[in-house]
């Protein structure tokens, strides 16, 4: 894969009118997209920078975040070793899923593998804007994710440069699971990846997205991302988002799905890396009998800070949502999960469930779990809960009494802890990827997950 120079300057320049106009002039995009970028840019200039005084950010400290370290730096050409590692990752994904799009940093996206899509469109986002603007105009950066939700979202909407577009026409069933690989290599990397999926009536598709670092050696990186998923009447979507950045990457993303009448989504999140992550994940059930299942696997080591805010927004009657997040914490890591079930006045007969369980493997680790309900309807069934605690010593003793050493006993207990969320995931390769990743982190412990070397 080729790598193109990054051209984004310091954040102060990002908010400058001259630079923004120059950026637009370089893009050669349709007028509707240009106007949306302008609106996002205007919002970014007026929005404040997050601080600990903001409710949403008071448990996520980004004072050590130095945005200027990630812009105006040209990613170096990946070494032969990095190229080989990326190629191996692509081949592994192709073996599991058949067809995908992969890219390294600002490099040209490469389509990998073969599959019969039955009329569906699966392209990198820049190409899709040129060739399928009519499909994107109604949805991109406007009706699903709010580009003015905060300053980071607005900057993403103004300056996104790459991403993936999947469009499934009415009645089309894409049999082959698809994949997208975003591979980050080099220092000072700023990545602005945007994923958008539109599944029309009675369509079906599966997409696995992986975010991974290669050959960074502790050098800082930044990802500002967005995910927009639109599931029409009686359509089905499986979407998997696996975040496996290294421990020097800052990760900010706003992600939302809209599910229409009779539609369904299974959305699986794997949060396995980064120095700090702040992700907003929402499902909006906008049509009667829409369904959403959300699965989350979080494992934090070293001094990683992973913050995931989830929202299940029931806007129509007879809708169902089921969210289960499981987290494991080791060393001095911290996980923040804040969930909200929102039931609108007209969403009678809603059935909603949310649960977050955290297993704390170190005295220095900390888990903040905050479930919430906002209910305006009077005929609903809503349940929420959260637990956090260490490994049960009685279970460890039981296994040791049968000849199993303590380290193996703890590993078996942790694997069992995550088992029920694994069992909910439909795609077998995803289950195995998550199992393997958690097992590797347990094997490594804190030895290779020390505090990031960079203060950026």
């Amino acid at each position: 894969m080729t790598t193109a120079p990054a051209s984004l300057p310091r954040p102060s320049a990002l908010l400058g009118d001259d630079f923004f106009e120059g950026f637009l002039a370089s893009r050669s995009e349709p007028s509707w997209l240009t106007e949306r970028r302008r609106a996002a840019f205007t919002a970014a200039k007026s929005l404040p920078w997050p601080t600990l005084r903001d409710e949403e950010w008071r448990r996520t400290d980004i004072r050590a975040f130095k945005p200027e370290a990630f812009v105006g730096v040209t990613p170096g050409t990946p070494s032969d070793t990095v190229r080989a590692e990326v190629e191996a990752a692509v081949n592994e994904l192709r073996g599991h899923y058949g067809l995908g799009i992969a890219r390294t940093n600002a490099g040209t996206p490469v389509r990998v593998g073969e599959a019969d899509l039955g009329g569906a469109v699966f392209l990198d986002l820049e190409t899709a804007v040129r060739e399928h603007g009519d499909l994107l105009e109604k949805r991109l950066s406007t009706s699903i994710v709010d580009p003015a939700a905060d300053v980071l979202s607005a900057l993403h909407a103004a300056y996104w440069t790459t991403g993936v577009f999947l469009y499934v026409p009415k009645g089309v069933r894409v049999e082959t699971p698809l994949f997208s690989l975003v591979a980050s290599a080099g220092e000072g990397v700023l990545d602005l990846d945007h994923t958008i999926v539109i599944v029309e009536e009675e369509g079906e598709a599966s997409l696995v997205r992986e975010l991974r670092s290669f050959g960074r050696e502790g050098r800082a990186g930044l990802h500002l991302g967005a995910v927009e998923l639109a599931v029409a009447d009686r359509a089905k979507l499986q979407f998997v988002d696996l975040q496996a950045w290294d421990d020097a990457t800052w990760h900010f993303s706003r992600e939302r799905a809209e599910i229409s009448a009779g539609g369904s989504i299974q959305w699986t999140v794997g949060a396995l890396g980064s120095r700090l992550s702040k992700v907003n994940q929402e499902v909006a059930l906008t049509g009667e009998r829409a369904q959403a299942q959300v699965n989350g696997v979080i494992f934090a080591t070293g001094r990683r800070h992973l913050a995931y805010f989830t929202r299940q927004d029931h806007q129509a009657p007879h809708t169902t949502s089921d969210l289960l997040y499981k987290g494991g914490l080791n060393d001095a890591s911290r996980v923040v999960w804040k969930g909200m079930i929102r039931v609108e006045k007209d969403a009678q007969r809603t059935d909603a469930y949310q649960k977050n369980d955290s297993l704390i493997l170190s005295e220095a680790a900390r888990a903040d779990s905050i479930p919430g309900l906002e209910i305006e309807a009077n005929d609903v069934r809503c349940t929420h809960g959260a637990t956090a605690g260490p490994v049960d010593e009685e279970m460890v003793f039981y296994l040791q009494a049968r000849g199993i050493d303590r380290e193996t006993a703890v590993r078996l207990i942790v694997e069992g802890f995550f088992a029920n969320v694994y069992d909910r995931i439909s795609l077998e390769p995803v289950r195995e990827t998550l199992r393997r990743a958690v097992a590797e982190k347990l094997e490594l412990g804190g030895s290779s997950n020390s505090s990031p070397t960079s203060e950026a």
Side-chain angles (χ1 to χ4, degrees), residues 141-253:
S141 296
T142 180
S143 66
I144 304 177
V145 167
D146 179 6
D150 58 35
V151 64
L152 296 170
S153 300
L155 285 173
H156 168 88
Y159 288 105
W160 68 261
T161 54
T162 189
V164 165
F165 173 55
L166 172 60
Y167 173 77
V168 182
K170 180 178 179 179
V172 171
R173 181 177 181 180
V174 181
E175 300 285 352
T176 303
L178 309 173
F179 74 87
S180 167
L181 174 66
V182 179
S184 178
E187 64 177 315
V189 173
L190 171 58
D191 188 274
L192 298 106
D193 182 79
H194 194 110
T195 297
I196 181 165
V197 178
I198 301 171
V199 186
E200 299 288 12
E201 294 179 11
E202 299 179 346
E204 293 186 29
S206 300
L207 176 62
V208 178
R209 175 176 178 254
E210 286 203 17
L211 310 173
R212 297 175 59 178
S213 305
F214 296 88
R216 295 274 294 282
E217 300 175 353
R219 294 170 296 187
L222 169 62
H223 179 259
L224 296 181
V227 173
E228 300 187 286
L229 311 174
V231 182
D233 295 356
R234 300 176 301 285
K236 296 181 180 180
L237 174 65
Q238 293 184 78
F239 182 70
V240 180
D241 202 356
L242 302 180
Q243 181 269 107
W245 298 123
D246 62 14
D247 62 3
T249 298
W250 300 79
H251 174 64
F252 303 98
S253 185

Side-chain angles (χ1 to χ4, degrees), residues 30-191:
S31 59
W32 62 264
L33 181 53
T34 298
E35 291 309 308
R36 286 179 195 175
R37 290 192 187 274
R38 289 189 189 280
F41 175 71
T42 299
K45 291 197 295 182
S46 65
L47 290 166
W49 191 255
T51 72
L52 292 172
R53 293 188 297 272
D54 302 322
E55 174 60 28
E56 184 163 330
W57 293 87
R58 70 186 185 91
R59 296 175 180 83
T60 301
D61 187 352
I62 60 171
R63 287 177 294 178
F65 176 45
K66 304 295 191 297
E68 64 271 17
F70 308 103
V71 291
V73 177
T74 301
T77 301
S79 66
D80 291 341
T81 300
V82 170
R83 289 177 184 273
E85 291 175 352
V86 173
E87 188 67 27
V90 170
N91 288 335
E92 180 181 3
L93 288 167
R94 180 171 55 184
H96 290 319
Y97 308 115
L99 175 65
I101 295 172
R103 66 173 180 82
T104 302
N105 297 350
T108 303
V110 177
R111 189 179 173 98
V112 181
E114 297 290 340
D116 180 8
L117 300 183
V121 175
F122 185 48
L123 295 169
D124 68 272
L125 193 50
E126 288 184 285
T127 301
V129 167
R130 293 195 303 268
E131 298 181 0
H132 299 281
D134 56 325
L135 299 177
L136 284 163
E137 183 175 359
K138 184 171 67 172
R139 290 291 189 177
L140 181 62
S141 296
T142 180
S143 66
I144 304 177
V145 167
D146 179 6
D150 58 35
V151 64
L152 296 170
S153 300
L155 285 173
H156 168 88
Y159 288 105
W160 68 261
T161 54
T162 189
V164 165
F165 173 55
L166 172 60
Y167 173 77
V168 182
K170 180 178 179 179
V172 171
R173 181 177 181 180
V174 181
E175 300 285 352
T176 303
L178 309 173
F179 74 87
S180 167
L181 174 66
V182 179
S184 178
E187 64 177 315
V189 173
L190 171 58
D191 188 274

